[in-house]
């Protein structure tokens, strides 16, 4: 955010959906496999159905 790379990549005890969106934006350049907080954010968004992972089977609307 603001051109400053994130320095803390540690997972957090509780992550809201709103915070997960913020993490995904601020850690956009971090690989999910190397960044625990981005991995946690992605899992939270998938759980909340705010993100559908690539390769997931599509469901009819």
């Amino acid at each position: 955010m603001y051109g400053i790379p994130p320095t803390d990549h540690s997972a957090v005890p509780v992550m809201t959906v709103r915070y997960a969106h913020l993490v995904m934006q601020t850690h956009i350049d971090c690989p999910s496999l190397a960044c625990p907080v981005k991995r946690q954010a992605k899992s939270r968004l998938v759980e909340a159905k705010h993100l559908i992972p690539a390769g997931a089977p599509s469901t009819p609307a």
Side-chain angles (χ1 to χ4, degrees):
M1 189 184 303
Y2 307 112
I4 302 170
T7 56
D8 187 9
H9 303 276
S10 303
V12 295
V14 176
M15 183 172 291
T16 64
V17 170
R18 184 174 179 175
Y19 187 63
H21 281 288
L22 178 64
V23 167
M24 293 297 282
Q25 291 171 3
T26 56
H27 290 255
I28 195 163
D29 293 328
C30 295
S32 292
L33 293 175
C35 181
V37 74
K38 184 173 182 178
R39 191 168 47 251
Q40 181 184 15
K42 183 177 179 181
S43 295
R44 180 65 181 103
L45 293 174
V46 168
E47 174 188 40
K49 298 187 182 1
H50 284 240
L51 178 70
I52 299 172
S58 59
T59 56

